[in-house]
Structure formats: structure tokens, C-alpha cells
């Protein structure tokens, strides 16, 4: 699963998810892309599940780029623990997704296959997405 090798600080504050994505909004590497339409925290497991679905459908025919990386730690306190005693330990990693963010890119396969592959990946994700084609 995706996670940083090392981080400067083990725990982060939750932050806010307002506004649109500032960068990573265009198809930069492949010919087809899967773009997020809403805000969400996407976990490393969800990213991996979508990646596996894409690679299994495409097999060796195309090239895949994963454009998001889970770099935010989310902490959890153990079950049945009283309040207080500090913040919990990091439990999993998420990527903060904002509207407009490109999640995956594909190339090397026909348009109809790419649409079907991206649909399978989108079914694994917690956000509404749209299929986009490179303009130039």
C-alpha cells in the first residue's frame, strides 16, 4: 500500500476541504484521465483497489499513472478508551482530494476500453468522478 517512507511529523491536524484543486487538474501524462468532482479523503486502500482494478482490466496493453499519493496521517484512539490522554496513534494514510483533481491517467488502449477501465476504477472510489480525454 502507498505511504510515505518517512515524515517530519507523525501526526497532523485535520484541516479543511474547501475550494477546487489548484494543481493536478489536467491530463498531463496519458491520453485519458479520471477526474474527481467532489471533496473527500481517499485512503491508501481505496487508491490501491482502484489501481488493481485498472491494471487487471488493461493487462499489459496500456500504461497507467496514479496521480494521487496518501501523505496525510489519520489517527485513531483504541476502542473503549476514555476521552483525554492525548491524540491517538496514526492508523492509516489519506490523500486529500478536491474537485478537479486528476486521480488516474491511461494511455495505449482504445477509447472504449479506457472508458470501461476507468468505470471499474471509479466504482472502487468514494468520490464522484468523470472520464476526461486529453485535448491536444
Amino acid at each position: 500500500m502507498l505511504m510515505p517512507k518517512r515524515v517530519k511529523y507523525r501526526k497532523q491536524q485535520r484541516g479543511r476541504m474547501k475550494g477546487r484543486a489548484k494543481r493536478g487538474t489536467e491530463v498531463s501524462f496519458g491520453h485519458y484521465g479520471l477526474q474527481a468532482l467532489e471533496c473527500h479523503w481517499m485512503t491508501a486502500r481505496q487508491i490501491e483497489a482502484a489501481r488493481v482494478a485498472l491494471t487487471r482490466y488493461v493487462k499489459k496493453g496500456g500504461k497507467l499513472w496514479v496521480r494521487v499519493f496518501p501523505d496525510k496521517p489519520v489517527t485513531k484512539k483504541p476502542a473503549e478508551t476514555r476521552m483525554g490522554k492525548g491524540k491517538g496513534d496514526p492508523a492509516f494514510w489519506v490523500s486529500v482530494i478536491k474537485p478537479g483533481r486528476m486521480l488516474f491517467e491511461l494511455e495505449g488502449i482504445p477509447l472504449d476500453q479506457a472508458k470501461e477501465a476507468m468505470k471499474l476504477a471509479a466504482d472502487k472510489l468514494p468520490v464522484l468522478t468523470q472520464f476526461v480525454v486529453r485535448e491536444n
Side-chain angles (χ1 to χ4, degrees), residues 3 25 54 63 68 74 87 106 111 118 128 131 135:
M3 67 189 302
T25 57
L54 274 169
K63 181 154 174 49
V68 290
V74 177
K87 192 168 181 171
L106 269 175
L111 176 67
M118 290 296 195
L128 283 175
F131 179 79
E135 291 174 8

Side-chain angles (χ1 to χ4, degrees), residues 59-86:
K59 298 197 170 69
K60 291 191 165 117
K63 181 154 174 49
L64 170 70
W65 287 269
V66 180
R67 296 283 309 273
V68 290
F69 186 80
D71 56 353
K72 182 183 188 71
V74 177
T75 59
K76 272 226 181 293
K77 292 185 77 97
E80 299 180 13
T81 304
R82 291 185 179 184
M83 292 290 104
K85 305 270 192 285

Side-chain angles (χ1 to χ4, degrees), residues 38-58:
E38 57 186 2
C39 293
H40 211 279
W41 276 359
M42 194 177 296
T43 66
R45 286 174 183 267
Q46 291 164 341
I47 296 169
E48 182 66 10
R51 186 195 66 79
V52 167
L54 274 169
T55 50
R56 288 220 174 120
Y57 187 85
V58 174

Side-chain angles (χ1 to χ4, degrees), residues 2-135:
L2 294 171
M3 67 189 302
K5 286 192 181 86
R6 54 194 291 266
V7 289
K8 190 167 184 179
Y9 300 107
R10 282 179 59 228
K11 300 174 184 178
Q12 272 185 27
Q13 292 188 340
R14 293 175 63 88
R16 291 182 64 176
M17 285 188 288
K18 66 176 231 173
R20 294 186 54 77
K22 291 186 183 137
R23 50 183 66 90
T25 57
E26 271 123 35
V27 181
S28 303
F29 302 102
H31 294 303
Y32 316 108
L34 190 66
Q35 190 175 39
L37 297 176
E38 57 186 2
C39 293
H40 211 279
W41 276 359
M42 194 177 296
T43 66
R45 286 174 183 267
Q46 291 164 341
I47 296 169
E48 182 66 10
R51 186 195 66 79
V52 167
L54 274 169
T55 50
R56 288 220 174 120
Y57 187 85
V58 174
K59 298 197 170 69
K60 291 191 165 117
K63 181 154 174 49
L64 170 70
W65 287 269
V66 180
R67 296 283 309 273
V68 290
F69 186 80
D71 56 353
K72 182 183 188 71
V74 177
T75 59
K76 272 226 181 293
K77 292 185 77 97
E80 299 180 13
T81 304
R82 291 185 179 184
M83 292 290 104
K85 305 270 192 285
K87 192 168 181 171
D89 289 323
F92 55 96
W93 295 85
V94 297
S95 177
V96 179
I97 305 296
K98 291 183 176 181
R101 181 65 197 225
M102 199 61 60
L103 305 174
F104 298 98
E105 290 185 23
L106 269 175
E107 79 169 8
I109 58 172
L111 176 67
D112 58 329
Q113 279 189 358
K115 272 190 177 171
E116 185 59 32
M118 290 296 195
K119 184 186 169 305
L120 289 172
D123 290 341
K124 306 281 183 195
L125 299 176
V127 292
L128 283 175
T129 56
Q130 72 179 1
F131 179 79
V132 289
V133 181
R134 192 176 204 157
E135 291 174 8

